[in-house]
Amino acid sequence: MLELKETIVVEGKYDLMKLREFISSPIITTEGFRVFADKEKQFLIREIAQKNGIILMTDPDRAGQVIRSFLNGIADKSKIKQCYVPLIKGVEKRKNAPSKEGLLGVEGLSGEVIADALRRCGAEIMGEEKPEKKQEITKMDLYELGLSGRENSAKIRESLLESLGLPTYLSANAMLCAINCLYKKHEIVDKLKELSYN
């Protein structure tokens, strides 16, 4: 079982049940979009973030991104770690058909995939060495790499995101956050070379 210093915030009860299989730390749910109107839940998330820090782990679809954006606006950003799970096509066991975007949510992912995403976002796992601070990619790096502020930036960004298994609709700012959670600068440069963009 993994024990984290931070509290994990997920969308729903099935995500919670999945994480409970291998994580013993506190996990709370937003109950999907219900968090938008639930002032008590918002207060709870703010308080937990302030005290212990939180890890946002939403589904990789558009709805998950909307919830993530909302939560980023209600708590101190310095107390939030962004955990992005990879885009994996499929259908969760309890469902008869795939989601609208055809992607597995947190509940459909393996424990190994989720644990890897937690480690990549810098989660503090008890008994494991704290990951070393890596050089973050900056907005200037995005510009220099052709990922923002240039004629074909949107196309290059979409190709890069698709090749990394991340949602292709991420804005430049959201992409910056995601790739800083998941990759080192040289990995992004190498990927762009592989795609013939650099």
Side-chain angles (χ1 to χ4, degrees):
M1 293 289 274
L2 297 178
E3 185 180 352
L4 282 65
K5 176 180 178 274
E6 307 92 347
T7 296
I8 302 176
V9 180
V10 293
E11 292 180 48
K13 67 178 182 180
Y14 293 105
D15 301 329
L16 173 76
M17 289 164 51
K18 178 64 183 189
L19 267 58
R20 277 280 164 252
E21 293 175 10
F22 61 96
I23 294 174
S24 63
S25 305
I27 304 166
I28 60 173
T29 65
T30 67
E31 303 303 324
F33 292 130
R34 205 172 295 167
V35 72
F36 296 168
D38 189 338
K39 300 297 183 196
E40 290 180 2
K41 180 74 70 150
Q42 292 174 30
F43 176 79
L44 177 65
I45 290 170
R46 265 194 304 276
E47 289 297 301
I48 291 172
Q50 200 57 41
K51 185 174 180 186
N52 300 327
I54 58 173
I55 296 173
L56 296 184
M57 183 185 289
T58 59
D59 290 347
D61 57 11
R62 290 182 192 273
Q65 189 61 33
V66 169
I67 292 168
R68 183 185 296 273
S69 294
F70 177 78
L71 295 174
N72 281 327
I74 67 167
D76 179 351
K77 284 187 175 56
S78 71
K79 303 289 186 175
I80 301 172
K81 290 182 179 172
Q82 305 291 339
C83 184
Y84 289 90
V85 296
L87 296 180
I88 299 175
K89 298 272 187 191
V91 183
E92 282 92 1
K93 289 179 185 174
R94 68 181 178 88
K95 296 180 181 176
N96 295 325
S99 67
K100 185 177 177 183
E101 295 174 41
L103 301 170
L104 289 176
V106 171
E107 69 172 278
L109 299 172
S110 71
E112 293 80 23
V113 167
I114 293 170
D116 182 57
L118 285 166
R119 287 183 178 99
R120 285 178 165 266
C121 84
E124 291 189 44
I125 301 171
M126 306 299 187
E128 291 187 11
E129 281 189 40
K130 192 173 179 182
E132 65 180 70
K133 187 80 172 154
K134 61 184 181 189
Q135 179 189 3
E136 294 219 332
I137 299 166
T138 65
K139 286 188 178 188
M140 181 55 77
D141 292 329
L142 290 187
Y143 177 77
E144 289 173 357
L145 294 169
L147 293 164
S148 71
R150 306 265 180 105
E151 189 177 331
N152 291 325
S153 292
K155 181 182 175 197
I156 296 170
R157 217 171 31 246
E158 187 174 322
S159 296
L160 175 65
L161 289 167
E162 184 176 357
S163 73
L164 296 173
L166 293 169
T168 57
Y169 52 79
L170 293 179
S171 67
N173 285 337
M175 181 192 72
L176 182 63
C177 179
I179 61 178
N180 272 325
C181 289
L182 298 169
Y183 300 98
K184 295 178 179 157
K185 184 176 176 179
H186 74 86
E187 292 174 311
I188 297 302
V189 171
D190 291 347
K191 182 56 80 170
L192 287 168
K193 283 180 185 168
E194 187 181 307
L195 295 170
S196 302
Y197 284 119
N198 208 335

